[in-house]
Coordinates of all heavy atoms in Angstrom, one line a residue:
A16 N -83.2 29.6 14.9 CA -82.1 29.4 13.9 C -82.6 30.0 12.6 O -83.6 29.7 12.1 CB -81.7 28.0 13.8
T17 N -81.7 30.8 12.0 CA -82.0 31.5 10.7 C -81.4 30.8 9.5 O -81.7 31.2 8.4 CB -81.6 33.0 10.8 OG1 -80.1 33.0 10.9 CG2 -82.2 33.7 11.9
G18 N -80.4 30.0 9.7 CA -79.7 29.4 8.6 C -78.5 30.3 8.2 O -77.7 29.9 7.3
R19 N -78.3 31.4 8.9 CA -77.2 32.3 8.5 C -75.9 31.8 9.1 O -75.9 31.2 10.2 CB -77.5 33.7 9.2 CG -76.5 34.8 8.9 CD -76.9 36.1 9.5 NE -77.1 36.0 10.9 CZ -76.1 36.3 11.8 NH1 -74.9 36.6 11.4 NH2 -76.4 36.2 13.1
I20 N -74.8 31.8 8.3 CA -73.5 31.4 8.7 C -73.0 32.3 9.8 O -72.9 33.5 9.6 CB -72.5 31.3 7.5 CG1 -73.0 30.2 6.6 CG2 -71.1 31.0 8.0 CD1 -72.2 30.2 5.3
L21 N -72.6 31.8 10.9 CA -72.1 32.6 12.0 C -70.6 32.8 12.0 O -70.1 33.8 12.3 CB -72.5 32.0 13.4 CG -74.0 31.8 13.6 CD1 -74.2 31.2 15.0 CD2 -74.7 33.2 13.6
W22 N -69.9 31.7 11.5 CA -68.4 31.8 11.4 C -68.0 30.6 10.5 O -68.7 29.7 10.3 CB -67.7 31.8 12.7 CG -68.0 30.7 13.7 CD1 -68.9 30.9 14.8 CD2 -67.6 29.4 13.7 NE1 -69.0 29.7 15.5 CE2 -68.2 28.8 14.8 CE3 -66.7 28.6 12.9 CZ2 -67.9 27.4 15.2 CZ3 -66.5 27.3 13.3 CH2 -67.1 26.7 14.4
K23 N -66.7 30.8 10.0 CA -66.1 29.7 9.2 C -64.6 29.6 9.7 O -64.1 30.6 10.1 CB -66.0 30.0 7.7 CG -67.3 30.0 7.0 CD -67.1 30.3 5.6 CE -68.3 30.4 4.8 NZ -68.1 30.6 3.4
T24 N -64.1 28.4 9.7 CA -62.7 28.3 10.1 C -62.1 27.1 9.3 O -62.9 26.2 8.8 CB -62.5 28.1 11.6 OG1 -61.1 28.1 11.9 CG2 -63.1 26.7 12.0
R25 N -60.8 27.1 9.0 CA -60.2 26.0 8.3 C -59.0 25.5 9.1 O -57.9 25.8 8.9 CB -59.6 26.6 6.9 CG -60.7 26.9 6.0 CD -60.1 27.3 4.6 NE -61.1 27.5 3.7 CZ -61.3 26.8 2.6 NH1 -60.5 25.8 2.3 NH2 -62.2 27.2 1.8
P26 N -59.3 24.5 9.9 CA -58.2 23.9 10.7 C -57.6 22.8 9.8 O -58.3 21.8 9.4 CB -58.9 23.3 11.9 CG -60.3 23.1 11.5 CD -60.6 24.1 10.4
G27 N -56.3 22.9 9.5 CA -55.6 21.8 8.8 C -56.1 21.8 7.3 O -56.6 22.7 6.7
K28 N -56.0 20.6 6.8 CA -56.3 20.3 5.4 C -57.7 19.6 5.4 O -57.9 18.6 6.1 CB -55.2 19.5 4.7 CG -53.9 20.2 4.7 CD -52.9 19.2 4.1 CE -51.5 19.9 4.0 NZ -50.9 20.0 5.2
A29 N -58.5 20.0 4.5 CA -59.9 19.4 4.4 C -59.8 17.9 4.1 O -60.6 17.1 4.7 CB -60.7 20.1 3.4
Y30 N -58.9 17.4 3.3 CA -58.9 16.0 3.0 C -58.3 15.1 4.0 O -58.4 13.9 3.9 CB -58.2 15.8 1.6 CG -56.7 16.2 1.6 CD1 -55.7 15.4 2.1 CD2 -56.4 17.5 1.2 CE1 -54.4 15.8 2.1 CE2 -55.0 17.9 1.2 CZ -54.1 17.0 1.6 OH -52.8 17.4 1.6
T31 N -57.7 15.7 5.1 CA -57.2 14.8 6.2 C -58.1 14.8 7.4 O -57.9 14.2 8.4 CB -55.8 15.3 6.6 OG1 -55.9 16.6 7.2 CG2 -54.8 15.2 5.5
A32 N -59.2 15.6 7.4 CA -60.1 15.7 8.5 C -60.9 14.5 8.7 O -61.4 13.9 7.7 CB -61.0 16.9 8.4
S33 N -61.1 14.1 9.9 CA -62.0 12.9 10.3 C -63.4 13.4 10.1 O -63.8 14.5 10.3 CB -61.7 12.6 11.7 OG -62.8 11.7 12.2
P34 N -64.3 12.4 9.7 CA -65.7 12.8 9.6 C -66.4 13.0 11.0 O -67.6 13.3 11.1 CB -66.3 11.6 8.9 CG -65.5 10.5 9.2 CD -64.1 11.0 9.4
F35 N -65.7 12.7 12.1 CA -66.2 12.8 13.4 C -66.0 14.2 14.0 O -65.0 14.8 13.8 CB -65.6 11.8 14.3 CG -65.6 10.4 13.8 CD1 -64.5 9.7 13.5 CD2 -66.9 9.8 13.7 CE1 -64.6 8.4 13.0 CE2 -66.9 8.5 13.2 CZ -65.8 7.8 12.9
L36 N -67.0 14.7 14.8 CA -66.8 15.9 15.6 C -67.6 15.7 16.8 O -68.5 14.9 16.9 CB -67.2 17.1 14.8 CG -68.7 17.3 14.4 CD1 -69.5 18.0 15.5 CD2 -68.8 18.1 13.1
A37 N -67.3 16.5 17.8 CA -68.0 16.6 19.1 C -68.1 18.0 19.5 O -67.3 18.9 19.0 CB -67.2 15.8 20.1
F38 N -69.0 18.3 20.4 CA -69.2 19.7 20.8 C -69.8 19.7 22.2 O -70.4 18.7 22.7 CB -70.1 20.5 19.8 CG -71.5 20.0 19.7 CD1 -72.5 20.4 20.5 CD2 -71.7 19.0 18.7 CE1 -73.8 19.9 20.4 CE2 -73.0 18.5 18.6 CZ -74.0 18.9 19.4
N39 N -69.6 20.8 22.8 CA -70.3 21.1 24.1 C -70.7 22.6 24.1 O -70.8 23.2 23.0 CB -69.3 20.8 25.3 CG -68.0 21.5 25.3 OD1 -68.0 22.6 24.7 ND2 -67.0 21.0 25.9
S40 N -71.1 23.1 25.2 CA -71.6 24.5 25.3 C -70.6 25.6 24.9 O -71.1 26.7 24.5 CB -72.2 24.8 26.6 OG -71.2 24.8 27.6
H41 N -69.3 25.3 24.9 CA -68.4 26.3 24.6 C -67.4 26.0 23.4 O -66.7 26.9 23.0 CB -67.6 26.7 25.8 CG -67.0 25.6 26.6 ND1 -65.8 25.0 26.2 CD2 -67.5 24.9 27.7 CE1 -65.6 24.0 27.1 NE2 -66.6 23.9 28.0
S42 N -67.3 24.7 23.0 CA -66.3 24.3 22.0 C -66.9 23.3 21.0 O -67.8 22.6 21.3 CB -65.1 23.7 22.7 OG -64.5 24.6 23.5
V43 N -66.2 23.3 19.8 CA -66.4 22.3 18.8 C -65.1 21.6 18.7 O -64.0 22.3 18.6 CB -66.8 22.9 17.5 CG1 -66.9 21.8 16.4 CG2 -68.2 23.6 17.6
Y44 N -65.1 20.3 18.6 CA -63.8 19.5 18.5 C -63.8 18.7 17.2 O -64.8 18.1 16.9 CB -63.7 18.5 19.7 CG -63.7 19.2 21.0 CD1 -64.9 19.2 21.7 CD2 -62.6 19.9 21.5 CE1 -65.0 19.9 23.0 CE2 -62.7 20.5 22.8 CZ -63.9 20.5 23.5 OH -63.9 21.1 24.7
I45 N -62.7 18.8 16.5 CA -62.5 17.9 15.3 C -61.2 17.3 15.4 O -60.3 17.7 16.2 CB -62.6 18.7 14.0 CG1 -61.5 19.8 13.9 CG2 -64.0 19.4 13.9 CD1 -61.2 20.1 12.5
V46 N -61.0 16.2 14.6 CA -59.7 15.6 14.5 C -59.2 15.8 13.0 O -59.9 15.4 12.1 CB -59.7 14.1 14.9 CG1 -58.3 13.5 14.6 CG2 -59.9 14.0 16.4
D47 N -58.1 16.5 12.9 CA -57.5 16.7 11.5 C -56.3 15.8 11.5 O -55.3 16.1 12.1 CB -57.1 18.1 11.4 CG -56.5 18.4 10.0 OD1 -57.0 17.9 9.0 OD2 -55.5 19.1 10.0
N48 N -56.4 14.7 10.7 CA -55.3 13.6 10.7 C -55.1 13.1 12.1 O -56.0 12.3 12.5 CB -54.0 14.2 10.1 CG -53.1 13.1 9.6 OD1 -53.5 12.0 9.6 ND2 -51.9 13.5 9.2
V49 N -54.1 13.4 12.8 CA -53.9 13.0 14.2 C -53.8 14.1 15.1 O -53.3 14.0 16.2 CB -52.8 12.0 14.4 CG1 -53.0 10.6 13.7 CG2 -51.5 12.6 13.9
D50 N -54.4 15.3 14.8 CA -54.4 16.5 15.6 C -55.8 16.7 16.1 O -56.7 16.9 15.3 CB -53.9 17.7 14.9 CG -52.4 17.6 14.6 OD1 -51.7 17.0 15.4 OD2 -52.0 18.2 13.6
L51 N -56.0 16.8 17.4 CA -57.3 17.2 18.0 C -57.3 18.7 18.0 O -56.3 19.4 18.4 CB -57.4 16.7 19.4 CG -58.6 17.2 20.2 CD1 -59.9 16.8 19.6 CD2 -58.5 16.8 21.7
V52 N -58.3 19.3 17.4 CA -58.4 20.8 17.3 C -59.7 21.2 18.1 O -60.8 20.7 17.9 CB -58.6 21.2 15.8 CG1 -58.7 22.7 15.7 CG2 -57.4 20.7 15.0
G53 N -59.5 22.2 19.0 CA -60.6 22.8 19.7 C -61.0 24.2 19.1 O -60.1 25.0 18.9
I54 N -62.2 24.4 18.8 CA -62.7 25.6 18.2 C -63.7 26.3 19.1 O -64.7 25.6 19.6 CB -63.3 25.3 16.8 CG1 -62.3 24.6 15.9 CG2 -63.9 26.6 16.2 CD1 -62.9 24.0 14.7
N55 N -63.6 27.6 19.4 CA -64.5 28.3 20.2 C -65.9 28.4 19.4 O -65.9 28.9 18.3 CB -64.0 29.7 20.5 CG -64.9 30.5 21.3 OD1 -65.9 31.0 20.8 ND2 -64.6 30.7 22.5
R56 N -67.0 28.0 20.1 CA -68.3 28.0 19.4 C -68.8 29.4 19.1 O -69.5 29.6 18.1 CB -69.3 27.3 20.3 CG -69.2 25.8 20.2 CD -70.3 25.1 20.9 NE -71.6 25.5 20.3 CZ -72.7 24.8 20.6 NH1 -72.7 23.9 21.5 NH2 -73.9 25.1 20.1
E57 N -68.4 30.4 19.9 CA -68.9 31.8 19.7 C -68.2 32.5 18.5 O -68.8 33.1 17.7 CB -68.7 32.6 21.0 CG -69.6 32.2 22.1 CD -71.1 32.5 21.8 OE1 -71.4 33.6 21.3 OE2 -71.9 31.6 22.1
S58 N -66.9 32.3 18.5 CA -66.1 33.1 17.5 C -65.6 32.3 16.3 O -65.2 32.9 15.3 CB -64.8 33.7 18.2 OG -64.0 32.6 18.6
G59 N -65.5 30.9 16.5 CA -64.9 30.1 15.4 C -63.4 30.1 15.4 O -62.7 29.5 14.6
N60 N -62.8 30.8 16.4 CA -61.3 30.8 16.6 C -60.8 29.4 17.1 O -61.4 28.8 17.9 CB -60.9 31.9 17.5 CG -61.1 33.2 17.0 OD1 -61.1 33.5 15.8 ND2 -61.3 34.2 17.9
I61 N -59.7 29.0 16.5 CA -59.0 27.8 17.0 C -58.4 28.1 18.3 O -57.6 29.1 18.4 CB -58.0 27.3 16.0 CG1 -58.8 26.8 14.7 CG2 -57.2 26.1 16.6 CD1 -57.9 26.5 13.6
V62 N -58.7 27.4 19.4 CA -58.2 27.7 20.7 C -57.1 26.8 21.1 O -56.3 27.1 22.0 CB -59.3 27.8 21.8 CG1 -60.2 29.0 21.5 CG2 -60.1 26.5 21.8
F63 N -57.0 25.6 20.6 CA -55.9 24.7 20.8 C -55.8 23.7 19.7 O -56.8 23.4 19.0 CB -56.0 24.0 22.2 CG -57.0 22.9 22.3 CD1 -56.7 21.6 21.9 CD2 -58.3 23.2 22.8 CE1 -57.7 20.6 22.0 CE2 -59.3 22.2 22.9 CZ -59.0 20.9 22.5
Q64 N -54.6 23.1 19.6 CA -54.4 22.0 18.7 C -53.4 21.0 19.4 O -52.4 21.5 20.0 CB -53.8 22.5 17.4 CG -53.7 21.5 16.3 CD -53.5 22.1 15.0 OE1 -53.5 23.3 14.8 NE2 -53.3 21.2 14.0
H65 N -53.8 19.8 19.5 CA -53.0 18.8 20.2 C -52.7 17.5 19.4 O -53.7 17.0 18.9 CB -53.7 18.4 21.5 CG -52.9 17.5 22.4 ND1 -51.8 17.8 23.1 CD2 -53.1 16.1 22.6 CE1 -51.4 16.7 23.7 NE2 -52.2 15.7 23.4
A66 N -51.5 17.1 19.3 CA -51.1 15.9 18.5 C -51.5 14.7 19.3 O -51.2 14.5 20.5 CB -49.6 15.9 18.2
L67 N -52.3 13.8 18.6 CA -52.7 12.5 19.3 C -51.7 11.5 19.0 O -50.9 11.6 18.0 CB -54.1 12.1 18.7 CG -55.2 13.1 18.9 CD1 -56.4 12.6 18.2 CD2 -55.5 13.3 20.4
L68 N -51.6 10.4 19.8 CA -50.7 9.3 19.6 C -51.1 8.4 18.5 O -50.4 7.6 18.0 CB -50.4 8.6 20.9 CG -49.8 9.4 22.0 CD1 -49.7 8.6 23.3 CD2 -48.4 10.0 21.6
S69 N -52.4 8.4 18.1 CA -53.0 7.5 17.2 C -54.2 8.2 16.6 O -54.8 9.2 17.1 CB -53.4 6.2 17.9 OG -54.0 5.3 17.1
G70 N -54.7 7.7 15.5 CA -56.0 8.2 14.9 C -57.2 7.7 15.6 O -57.1 6.8 16.5
L71 N -58.3 8.2 15.2 CA -59.6 7.7 15.9 C -60.1 6.4 15.3 O -59.9 6.1 14.2 CB -60.7 8.8 15.6 CG -60.6 10.1 16.3 CD1 -61.8 11.0 15.9 CD2 -60.6 10.0 17.8
S72 N -60.7 5.6 16.2 CA -61.3 4.4 15.8 C -62.8 4.5 15.7 O -63.5 3.6 15.1 CB -60.9 3.2 16.7 OG -61.5 3.5 18.0
A73 N -63.4 5.5 16.3 CA -64.9 5.7 16.2 C -65.1 7.2 16.6 O -64.1 8.0 16.7 CB -65.5 4.8 17.3
G74 N -66.4 7.6 16.7 CA -66.7 9.0 16.9 C -66.3 9.4 18.3 O -66.2 8.6 19.3
M75 N -66.1 10.7 18.5 CA -65.8 11.3 19.8 C -67.0 11.7 20.5 O -68.1 11.7 20.0 CB -65.0 12.7 19.5 CG -63.7 12.5 18.8 SD -62.9 14.1 18.5 CE -64.0 14.9 17.3
A76 N -66.9 12.0 21.8 CA -68.0 12.5 22.6 C -67.4 13.6 23.5 O -66.2 13.7 23.8 CB -68.6 11.4 23.5
A77 N -68.2 14.6 23.9 CA -67.7 15.7 24.8 C -68.8 16.0 25.8 O -70.0 15.9 25.5 CB -67.4 16.9 24.0
D78 N -68.4 16.4 27.0 CA -69.2 17.1 27.9 C -68.6 18.5 28.2 O -67.7 18.9 27.5 CB -69.4 16.2 29.2 CG -68.2 16.0 30.0 OD1 -67.2 16.7 29.8 OD2 -68.1 15.0 30.7
D79 N -69.1 19.2 29.2 CA -68.6 20.5 29.4 C -67.2 20.6 30.0 O -66.6 21.6 30.2 CB -69.6 21.4 30.2 CG -70.7 22.0 29.3 OD1 -70.5 22.1 28.1 OD2 -71.7 22.4 29.8
D80 N -66.7 19.4 30.4 CA -65.4 19.4 31.0 C -64.3 18.8 30.2 O -63.2 19.1 30.2 CB -65.5 18.6 32.4 CG -66.3 19.3 33.4 OD1 -66.3 20.5 33.5 OD2 -67.1 18.6 34.0
Q81 N -64.7 17.7 29.4 CA -63.7 17.0 28.6 C -64.2 16.6 27.3 O -65.4 16.5 27.0 CB -63.2 15.8 29.4 CG -62.5 16.1 30.7 CD -62.0 14.9 31.4 OE1 -62.8 13.9 31.5 NE2 -60.8 14.9 31.8
V82 N -63.3 16.2 26.4 CA -63.6 15.5 25.1 C -63.0 14.1 25.2 O -61.9 13.9 25.7 CB -63.1 16.3 23.9 CG1 -61.6 16.5 23.9 CG2 -63.6 15.6 22.6
Y83 N -63.8 13.1 24.8 CA -63.4 11.7 24.9 C -63.1 11.1 23.5 O -64.0 11.3 22.6 CB -64.5 10.9 25.6 CG -64.8 11.5 26.9 CD1 -65.9 12.4 27.0 CD2 -64.1 11.2 28.1 CE1 -66.2 13.0 28.2 CE2 -64.5 11.7 29.3 CZ -65.5 12.7 29.4 OH -65.8 13.2 30.6
L84 N -61.9 10.5 23.3 CA -61.6 10.0 22.0 C -61.2 8.5 22.1 O -60.2 8.2 22.7 CB -60.3 10.8 21.5 CG -60.6 12.3 21.4 CD1 -59.8 13.0 22.5 CD2 -60.1 12.8 20.1
P85 N -61.9 7.7 21.3 CA -61.5 6.3 21.2 C -60.4 6.2 20.1 O -60.7 6.5 18.9 CB -62.8 5.5 20.8 CG -63.6 6.6 20.1 CD -63.2 7.9 20.7
L86 N -59.2 5.8 20.5 CA -58.1 5.8 19.5 C -57.9 4.4 18.9 O -58.3 3.4 19.4 CB -56.8 6.3 20.2 CG -56.9 7.7 20.8 CD1 -55.5 8.0 21.4 CD2 -57.2 8.7 19.8
A87 N -57.3 4.4 17.7 CA -57.1 3.2 16.9 C -56.1 2.2 17.6 O -56.2 1.0 17.3 CB -56.5 3.6 15.5
D88 N -55.4 2.7 18.6 CA -54.5 1.8 19.3 C -55.2 1.1 20.5 O -54.6 0.4 21.2 CB -53.2 2.5 19.8 CG -53.5 3.6 20.9 OD1 -54.7 3.7 21.3 OD2 -52.6 4.3 21.3
G89 N -56.5 1.3 20.6 CA -57.3 0.6 21.6 C -57.5 1.4 22.9 O -58.2 0.9 23.8
T90 N -56.9 2.6 23.0 CA -57.1 3.3 24.2 C -58.3 4.3 24.1 O -58.6 4.8 23.0 CB -55.8 4.1 24.6 OG1 -55.5 5.0 23.5 CG2 -54.7 3.2 24.8
L91 N -58.8 4.7 25.2 CA -59.8 5.8 25.3 C -59.1 6.9 26.0 O -58.7 6.8 27.1 CB -61.1 5.3 26.1 CG -62.1 6.4 26.3 CD1 -62.7 6.9 24.9 CD2 -63.2 5.9 27.2
T92 N -59.0 8.0 25.3 CA -58.3 9.2 25.9 C -59.2 10.3 26.1 O -60.2 10.5 25.3 CB -57.2 9.6 24.9 OG1 -56.4 8.5 24.6 CG2 -56.3 10.7 25.4
S93 N -59.0 11.1 27.1 CA -59.8 12.3 27.3 C -58.9 13.5 27.6 O -57.8 13.4 28.1 CB -60.7 12.1 28.5 OG -60.0 12.0 29.7
Y94 N -59.3 14.7 27.2 CA -58.6 15.9 27.3 C -59.6 17.0 27.9 O -60.8 16.9 27.7 CB -58.1 16.4 26.0 CG -57.0 15.5 25.4 CD1 -57.4 14.6 24.5 CD2 -55.7 15.6 25.8 CE1 -56.4 13.7 24.0 CE2 -54.7 14.8 25.3 CZ -55.1 13.9 24.4 OH -54.1 13.0 23.8

């Protein structure tokens, strides 16, 4: 690692983004307000955005198949 910036992206508004993120070998996931955003790790391009039914209650986790989100309504959701 050289410390060189590989890419930048601005999904949504900075002040509504959750402090939680998750990643796997091909994507980075963030929650912006109540939208789950998937970002390609190679390019930094936003590859999907999905509206959640509730905000997060804790940090997310991801494996190479899914991202797991504990929601404030008490459900654990995966995509």
Side-chain angles (χ1 to χ4, degrees):
T17 65
R19 182 176 59 92
I20 295 173
L21 299 177
W22 52 261
K23 291 183 185 182
T24 190
R25 287 186 180 244
K28 298 176 178 75
Y30 61 87
T31 63
S33 164
F35 305 115
L36 65 88
F38 61 91
N39 58 27
S40 63
H41 49 82
S42 298
V43 175
Y44 304 99
I45 64 155
V46 172
D47 179 45
N48 198 7
V49 291
D50 291 327
L51 173 63
V52 181
I54 302 167
N55 179 287
R56 280 185 65 168
E57 292 292 319
S58 67
N60 293 330
I61 295 172
V62 293
F63 74 86
Q64 191 163 353
H65 179 74
L67 301 173
L68 298 176
S69 178
L71 290 180
S72 63
M75 301 180 286
D78 60 23
D79 277 340
D80 296 317
Q81 294 182 315
V82 59
Y83 306 92
L84 302 105
L86 299 181
D88 66 4
T90 60
L91 177 63
T92 304
S93 64
Y94 295 95

